Amino acid sequence: MSKAERKRRRKEFTRRLLRSPLVNAVIGGTVRGLIGFVRLLGPKAAGGLADRLSRFVGRFVPESRLALANLAAAFPEKSLEERQAILDNAWASLGRTVVEYVHIDKLIDIDPYHPERGRTEIDGLDQFLALREDGRPGIIFSAHLANWEALAIVAARFDLPVVALFRMPSNNRIAQDLMARREELMGTLVASGRGATFEVAAALDRGEHLGLLTDQHHTGGPRVPFFGRLVSANPLVARLARQYECPVHGARTIRLPDGRFRVELTPPLDMPRDAEGRIDVAGGTALVMSVVEGWVREHPDQWLWLHNRWR
């Protein structure tokens, strides 16, 4: 048996094991217990614990080697120590994001009528209000920066109808808990999969807005530049913008000191067009990725470097 075949069989065995009812129940029960523990700790103590633990554990996770290679290619001018510091902070941000989910309704305390009073800053308030009132479909793309879940919550607080695409966890019990929690805070959610396209199209037909993360590898997507290298990018933003002739906005969350956040919504992008005057899918996808690259360059320690983005 070849090495590749042994590896394939191990992956298949692990996949089946994780889907078994007994393992599902054990994992689900463990996660629920941890959620209860995080809730008892409170947001500040839980965030501090997650920060320290994630920094430590991240040094031993195999994906950290991939992340350091990505950082070396993206920032060749930085020293190994500087890149390691970025990665340590990125692990800390991810750890905080996980535990913040339990307390997210308290952390994102924005008041749409008095946004200056909350702990969450809003940059682009006029864009939120314009999207809410324009009666048109629209697309809002984002990236795995800081606590990306905050964006959908802020939109819901502003009564901005957004249909958010998300990836359903493989564990059924965790998936049910997450779905209930997300729908409580974020509005309409659509699990990515075969039927997602129809639900997204129906929402845009109703004049609603689509929110999606667009910074991961997309097999078969157009090859566009990202940190000086070509990546296969998700063309969904540009394709839907072309089909519906609707505005495209970028949105991101920035982690601030003392457990605060800033949420930014850009004005509509000037999407490139082809000779017929329609939005160019490849060019539009490249523009979206250039915006994401700018965000990551500004706050590299808040992005998820662990994905195999350049394949």
Side-chain angles (χ1 to χ4, degrees), residues 60-237:
F60 304 98
V61 176
E63 284 77 8
S64 286
R65 291 194 295 271
L66 171 64
L68 281 173
N70 288 338
L71 280 161
F75 299 108
E77 74 282 2
K78 294 185 183 296
S79 66
L80 176 59
E81 290 74 18
E82 288 175 314
R83 295 193 290 265
Q84 183 64 60
I86 290 173
L87 179 57
D88 288 344
N89 288 332
W91 271 113
S93 181
L94 177 60
R96 285 183 177 274
T97 297
V98 172
V99 300
E100 282 165 354
Y101 198 74
V102 179
H103 304 284
I104 197 71
D105 55 330
K106 299 181 180 66
L107 293 170
I108 309 300
D109 60 346
I110 189 70
D111 180 349
Y113 299 102
H114 301 283
E116 73 283 353
R117 297 180 182 175
R119 290 167 50 83
T120 302
E121 301 177 8
I122 302 294
D123 188 352
L125 177 61
D126 56 333
Q127 301 298 324
F128 274 103
L129 299 178
L131 278 171
R132 186 181 66 186
E133 304 298 335
D134 65 7
R136 298 177 57 197
I139 300 171
I140 305 170
F141 69 88
S142 188
H144 290 86
L145 281 158
N147 192 320
W148 54 89
E149 298 276 4
L151 297 168
I153 297 173
V154 170
R157 298 279 171 87
F158 278 93
D159 293 324
L160 176 63
V162 174
V163 174
L165 279 173
F166 76 103
R167 182 176 295 178
M168 183 78 78
S170 57
N171 185 288
N172 294 333
R173 297 192 178 203
I174 297 175
Q176 290 172 5
D177 291 349
L178 284 177
M179 192 70 173
R181 178 67 167 162
R182 281 171 162 163
E183 287 184 334
E184 175 188 354
L185 298 171
M186 303 177 187
T188 306
L189 299 166
V190 175
S192 57
R194 292 182 179 179
T197 303
F198 299 102
E199 294 188 57
V200 165
L204 292 174
D205 285 334
R206 293 192 299 268
E208 297 180 4
H209 304 84
L210 171 67
L212 73 160
L213 296 160
T214 187
D215 57 336
Q216 292 180 294
H217 174 81
H218 188 85
T219 302
R223 302 281 288 174
V224 302
F226 189 58
F227 281 92
R229 291 185 287 169
L230 294 179
V231 297
S232 295
N234 190 338
L236 185 59
V237 170

Side-chain angles (χ1 to χ4, degrees), residues 6 8 11 57 61 73 108 145 154 173 195 199-200 202 211 233 244 259 264 276 278-279 285-286 303 307:
R6 288 197 300 271
R8 188 194 67 79
K11 289 179 67 175
V57 173
V61 176
I108 309 300
L145 281 158
V154 170
R173 297 192 178 203
E199 294 188 57
V200 165
Y244 286 90
E264 295 183 354
E276 299 176 353
R278 303 185 68 194
I279 291 175
T285 304
W303 192 54
H307 293 305

